[in-house]
Amino acid sequence: MANLTRLTAAELSKRLGAGEVSSTEVTEAHLERIGAVDPAVHAFLHVDADGAMATARRVDDRRVAGETLPPLAGVPVAVKDVMATRGIPTTCGSAILAGWVPPYDATVVARLRAAGLPILGKTNMDEFAMGSSTEHSAYGPTHNPWDLGRIPGGSGGGSAAAVAAYEAPLAVGTDTGGSIRQPGAVTGTVGVKPTYGGVSRYGLVALASSLDQAGPVTRTVLDAAMLHEVIGGYDPMDSTSLDAPLPPLVEAVRDADVTGLRVGVVRELGGDGYQAGVRARFDEVVALLSDAGATVVEVSCPHFDYAFAAYYLILPSEASSNLARFDAMRYGMRVGLDGVADPSAEQVMAATREAGFGDEVKRRIILGTYALSSGYYDAYYGSAQKVRTLIQRDFAAAFEQVDVLVSPTAPTTAFRFGQKLDDPVAMYLSDVATIPANLAGVPGISVPSGLAEEDGLPTGVQVLAPAQADDRLYRVGAVVEAMLVERWGGPLLDRAPQLEPSA
Ligand code: GLN
């Protein structure tokens, strides 16, 4: 039998449905792979072997009993540690949540369970989803399977690396400024940030509530569409959830065609600051789209130049407010002040937050608190919100001319550990191209575009569509993927070094 960890979720779904393989076998194969390579990759913070196998057995029993099951039933999935999982530890990459076992499931997780996907475990991430490298995880970084000395992107580097290293066929992540798409680009995987409100935020540890969005992390565009259909759609538990049906996504992949589609290349997302090999692969994709019958034009979104600055006021502001709940009373860590007679609640809170939060989290709490403070609110937070409106108008104007926008996903390929750790702004710039979509709430996908010749590392192309037109991401993504895989003679990940199982 073919190596089960090498199959896509769509292929696994077919074989499971045909009774050629059981979920128990598929899940066991992935747990074995995790055991073999995760000591080197460190994609997982917690592996739930018993829980995953119990789900797999249940799905197998139901199938044997003749029940019709959802398409992905029995296909295992990895979950970013930002999502509450009943009975499974959830740390959000932070020491302050060490030992917290949620009493409930995030809606995304509940939907995965209801659809019969065994949950392999929780994936590593930058603390509270702040970062582009997973180096800010309190539990040590994840390593990029293409080069273990390099970052897998962030904040959702664990989910991307798990999928790239064949430890999981599917994963879910969250994207507040790029944390699904940028890890996708630098690991040669597919990542989707759905339309804001398209996938429930209920049960996600909040970073910036007006920007956060959960979405699929996979090896193929079809797999992402299948997973998106499981986790997406209206949820009354999330007040910002869109009460509208998802557009047909799997169908968009199966009937993918770009003939007559108007594609806009965003002038402001490219050029200076983008690595040569990233640019070269992007230009090739644009040429391919044109060959496939799309009409390609250049589009200007002048306020995108200010998106980065606006984001780094809005995100810390919302984060400083959201993180106030980690007060030593409600969740996780509490630092007892043994040496202090009668410590006040404030003293315990301060000591706990001092010990429990890492440097990047503290940096953003300070920034956000400052930006929101009286006297500065209008100058910083208020101005940033006005810029956000201008960016939304840029998108609206662009989508009057074109059906989708394209750009490189990230300006560089995977960098080395430590390279940007002491320079927060250099780290933040990893998301220059992904941030505008979060500020406007529009959906985006990153699809592998090839390897940069200067370092042989993967790069990604980003497709953006109007809100609630997520199907267009899949349509364009599937065409790009099909043309490139044909050119490469197989999936890009086939060229990644084989990881040697650790002894
Ligand atoms: N790298 C960005 C940040 O640090 C993105 C975060 C995210 O999408 N969660 O804020």
Side-chain angles (χ1 to χ4, degrees), residues 129-132 154-155 174-179 207 311-312 315 364 431:
M130 299 176 184
S132 300
S155 64
T174 52
D175 189 311
T176 304
S179 288
L207 171 52
Y311 173 87
Y312 276 101
L315 176 134
R364 296 200 196 192
D431 287 322

Side-chain angles (χ1 to χ4, degrees), residues 162-367:
V163 166
Y166 301 94
E167 295 174 72
L170 300 169
V172 284
T174 52
D175 189 311
T176 304
S179 288
I180 289 176
R181 289 164 289 161
Q182 180 258 5
V186 302
T187 58
T189 56
V190 174
V192 179
K193 182 202 94 72
T195 297
Y196 182 77
V199 176
S200 171
R201 288 186 300 109
Y202 176 73
L204 308 188
V205 180
L207 171 52
S209 311
S210 76
L211 304 164
D212 296 344
Q213 190 53 214
V217 175
T218 61
R219 289 193 293 266
T220 69
V221 174
L222 174 59
D223 285 0
M226 292 177 80
L227 185 56
H228 194 155
E229 288 191 350
V230 172
I231 62 176
Y234 179 61
D235 177 18
M237 299 296 279
D238 171 2
S239 63
T240 56
S241 177
L242 286 166
D243 191 359
L246 280 182
L249 307 174
V250 171
E251 202 180 295
V253 175
R254 298 209 192 273
D255 307 334
D257 181 10
V258 293
T259 315
L261 194 84
R262 297 165 305 164
V263 175
V265 175
V266 186
R267 185 184 305 156
E268 289 75 12
L269 303 180
D272 282 355
Y274 287 74
Q275 198 178 313
V278 170
R279 284 298 317 251
R281 296 296 83 77
F282 174 68
D283 291 344
E284 283 167 13
V285 168
V286 171
L288 281 177
L289 281 170
S290 168
D291 291 347
T295 313
V296 181
V297 295
E298 192 181 71
V299 171
S300 176
C301 295
H303 300 97
F304 282 18
D305 288 342
Y306 308 100
F308 176 74
Y311 173 87
Y312 276 101
L313 285 166
I314 293 168
L315 176 134
S317 298
E318 292 189 22
S320 70
S321 156
N322 275 326
L323 294 175
R325 79 193 63 188
F326 299 102
D327 57 3
M329 309 295 148
R330 282 178 259 221
Y331 312 85
M333 176 189 279
R334 175 183 297 171
V335 174
L337 292 173
D338 293 341
V340 182
D342 252 346
S344 68
E346 270 171 14
Q347 283 173 311
V348 171
M349 202 185 296
T352 301
R353 288 166 68 88
E354 165 62 27
F357 286 143
D359 289 348
E360 183 61 26
V361 174
K362 287 175 185 155
R363 180 181 294 126
R364 296 200 196 192
I365 291 174
I366 292 167
L367 261 170

Side-chain angles (χ1 to χ4, degrees), residues 369-503:
T369 308
Y370 181 79
L372 290 176
S373 56
S374 102
Y376 295 108
Y377 185 96
D378 288 336
Y380 294 119
Y381 186 73
S383 304
Q385 288 292 19
K386 287 179 188 159
V387 172
R388 186 173 191 174
T389 302
L390 295 173
I391 287 161
Q392 286 162 349
R393 287 188 191 151
D394 278 359
F395 270 113
F399 287 131
E400 275 178 18
Q401 300 169 57
V402 295
D403 301 303
V404 294
L405 294 170
V406 291
S407 78
T409 307
T412 69
T413 55
F415 42 90
R416 291 185 187 286
F417 288 115
Q419 204 175 319
K420 302 194 179 179
L421 207 49
D422 299 325
D423 184 351
V425 175
M427 181 79 85
Y428 296 170
L429 281 168
S430 305
D431 287 322
V432 265
T434 44
I435 281 170
N438 300 80
L439 288 172
V442 305
I445 189 172
S446 177
V447 178
S449 59
L451 304 179
E453 49 273 319
E454 57 273 22
D455 53 21
L457 292 168
T459 74
V461 58
Q462 167 178 245
V463 183
L464 304 170
Q468 296 187 262
D470 302 50
D471 52 324
R472 291 187 203 168
L473 307 179
Y474 289 101
R475 178 139 69 105
V476 179
V479 167
V480 169
E481 176 183 66
M483 290 190 299
L484 287 175
V485 169
E486 197 189 312
R487 175 179 285 191
W488 299 327
L492 191 67
L493 274 171
D494 283 357
R495 306 202 197 167
Q498 298 281 322
L499 292 169
E500 292 301 324
S502 324

